[in-house]
Amino acid sequence: MNNLLIQGGHIIDQSQGIDETGDLLITDGTLSWLGQGKTTIPRSDYSIFPAKGLIVCPGFIDLHCHLRQPGFEEKETIATGSLAAAKGGFTTICCMPNTSPTLDNKDSINYIKATAIQDGAIRVLPIGCVTKGSNGKELAPMDKLASAGAIGFSDDGNPVPNSQLMRQALLHSHTLNLPIIDHCEDTSLFLGGQINEGSISLKLNLKGIPNTAEEIIVARDVALAELTGGWVHIAHVSTAGSVDIIHRAKEKGIRVTAEVTPHHLTLTEEKVIGYNTNAKVNPPLRTQKDVEALIKGLNADIIDVIATDHAPHTTANKMCDFNKAAFGISVFETALGSLMSLVHTKRLSMATLISKLTCEPARIIGDKHGKLGTLAIGAPADITILDPNYEWTVDANTFISKGKNTPLDGSILKGKVMATIYQGKLVYKDSQINLIENNMEKVNNE
Ligand code: DOR
């Protein structure tokens, strides 16, 4: 395996409190040396990645995405989804179990792991179902899913509607020390909802989804987490009220963590005007007041991580009547560029953004799958290199993901991933980057 020296980049690694210019050496897939200033590099057989002017950080980790395999391979596969994720700077992604069949037994978890090793560009960690078939009626064999390698449990796409079942799931979560990742939605309030409830839903004559539909279940879940000592992770938080409830729960010491998506942090309900189905997502895009509360909650560590909820769909799933269109946005390839708008407008620091994409999700996954989210010596060389100021225009047709469903098509974003390294291997490189080849190796091979 080639050794690589990443030279002269701005290294940001919140897991070690590093925020300075330096060099990083990768040998045999592992981070072997980090040097600042004029320290001598311990060997000379390496290629050089010139990183001056670029940010070098741990590879991004996504706790929430949909890879659609098995069952919906026309929307995405583990191969296409993981490559798209690599282009977006991710080196670890956790996939949701709403596939067909669902990931509700040991064999299906093993299938994801084996397919990921065979076809995947990066690390893919499966999430198991809370209930069999995600049907909300009977618990899945959570202990078996955990021992097969599930990093948590979710019926995402749907909530766990029955409180007694959620209580039992949280008791298992306590024993297994793994989170129940709940898609918080009161189904009776949601019923037939299409977009955020408010003036725009009235104007467009579309059924609205009130904030309360989410908040009722967030409140129930933290109450049940308190009762059971279980760990609830609130998926895709979208409302100011949810941030308040999570804040109060954390103050009380209840075991709750939470995530927010790039789209809920940067876009509002106005995006659906004109019946733009590519902005139809669940939970729906909300108001500017909600967006501001989410950003504040992220900065205050009430929200622990940013997760993409990458939800690819076919063009046919979206080019139809708004009421019939699928919920979801293809996010991997725009995540960094859209989030950088928060850094450029000084609402989020670069260091916070990176920690919410790296060491914070790593903390939630734990260390069972290796030392993730860090540039510590001896850790797997999972690295993202980005240009914070590079301006580019989103063209969904150039996405690696099969899902071209983005409301950002045609938008100009400032900030782009230039390279992604997974276990020492360059799995994505922007065409502008030219490596300086390893002369030593050439000499040795001649
Ligand atoms: O918009 C969404 N799409 N929200 C979800 O919770 C599920 C996801 C999907 O699977 O398409």
Side-chain angles (χ1 to χ4, degrees), residues 142-194:
M142 292 170 61
D143 51 344
K144 292 201 176 77
L145 299 179
S147 52
I151 62 114
F153 309 95
S154 183
D155 283 350
D156 187 61
N158 296 298
V160 180
N162 181 309
S163 302
Q164 173 61 11
L165 214 52
M166 185 64 172
R167 177 182 183 175
Q168 287 167 8
L170 282 163
L171 284 169
H172 286 292
S173 142
H174 180 63
T175 314
L176 298 167
N177 193 27
L178 291 174
I180 306 293
I181 305 168
D182 202 18
H183 168 119
C184 293
E185 171 186 305
D186 179 304
T187 44
S188 62
L189 282 173
F190 181 89
L191 209 61
Q194 299 293 320

Side-chain angles (χ1 to χ4, degrees), residues 108-343:
S108 57
I109 297 289
N110 286 333
Y111 167 80
I112 297 290
K113 288 197 309 186
T115 312
I117 288 167
Q118 193 183 297
D119 299 349
I122 55 169
R123 189 178 294 103
V124 177
L125 302 175
I127 296 167
C129 292
V130 180
T131 64
K132 284 186 184 163
S134 275
N135 66 11
K137 297 213 165 73
E138 190 188 342
L139 282 189
M142 292 170 61
D143 51 344
K144 292 201 176 77
L145 299 179
S147 52
I151 62 114
F153 309 95
S154 183
D155 283 350
D156 187 61
N158 296 298
V160 180
N162 181 309
S163 302
Q164 173 61 11
L165 214 52
M166 185 64 172
R167 177 182 183 175
Q168 287 167 8
L170 282 163
L171 284 169
H172 286 292
S173 142
H174 180 63
T175 314
L176 298 167
N177 193 27
L178 291 174
I180 306 293
I181 305 168
D182 202 18
H183 168 119
C184 293
E185 171 186 305
D186 179 304
T187 44
S188 62
L189 282 173
F190 181 89
L191 209 61
Q194 299 293 320
I195 62 170
N196 184 46
E197 182 176 291
S199 58
I200 292 179
S201 65
L202 279 174
K203 227 179 275 165
L204 298 182
N205 195 27
L206 291 169
K207 173 129 185 353
I209 305 164
N211 288 15
T212 322
E214 175 173 310
E215 291 155 9
I216 283 176
I217 301 299
V218 175
R220 179 204 70 170
D221 283 358
V222 297
L224 290 172
E226 183 174 27
L227 179 69
T228 57
W231 174 9
V232 67
H233 176 85
I234 309 295
H236 40 51
V237 176
S238 75
T239 79
S242 295
V243 177
D244 273 350
I245 298 164
I246 297 163
H247 187 194
R248 275 183 275 129
K250 283 194 168 185
E251 278 182 342
K252 278 178 89 178
I254 298 171
R255 196 155 187 218
V256 54
T257 51
E259 66 184 39
V260 61
T261 70
H263 38 285
H264 291 107
L265 283 169
T266 56
L267 303 176
T268 58
E269 57 179 347
E270 277 80 9
K271 274 278 170 203
V272 300
I273 291 174
Y275 298 93
N276 180 1
T277 56
N278 284 328
K280 179 176 173 180
V281 64
N282 187 19
L285 300 175
R286 303 280 188 187
T287 65
Q288 193 58 39
K289 177 177 153 272
D290 294 300
V291 168
E292 295 308 326
L294 293 170
I295 297 170
K296 222 169 139 198
L298 193 65
N299 274 310
D301 291 331
I302 296 164
I303 298 178
D304 300 79
V305 304
I306 299 171
T308 68
D309 194 9
H310 173 76
H313 289 291
T314 63
T315 306
N317 294 149
K318 287 290 193 177
M319 291 279 283
C320 56
D321 181 88
F322 198 96
N323 286 292
K324 296 210 173 89
F327 287 100
I329 297 178
S330 181
V331 181
F332 281 149
E333 290 161 81
T334 56
L336 177 78
S338 63
L339 290 164
M340 282 302 299
S341 67
L342 302 175
V343 176

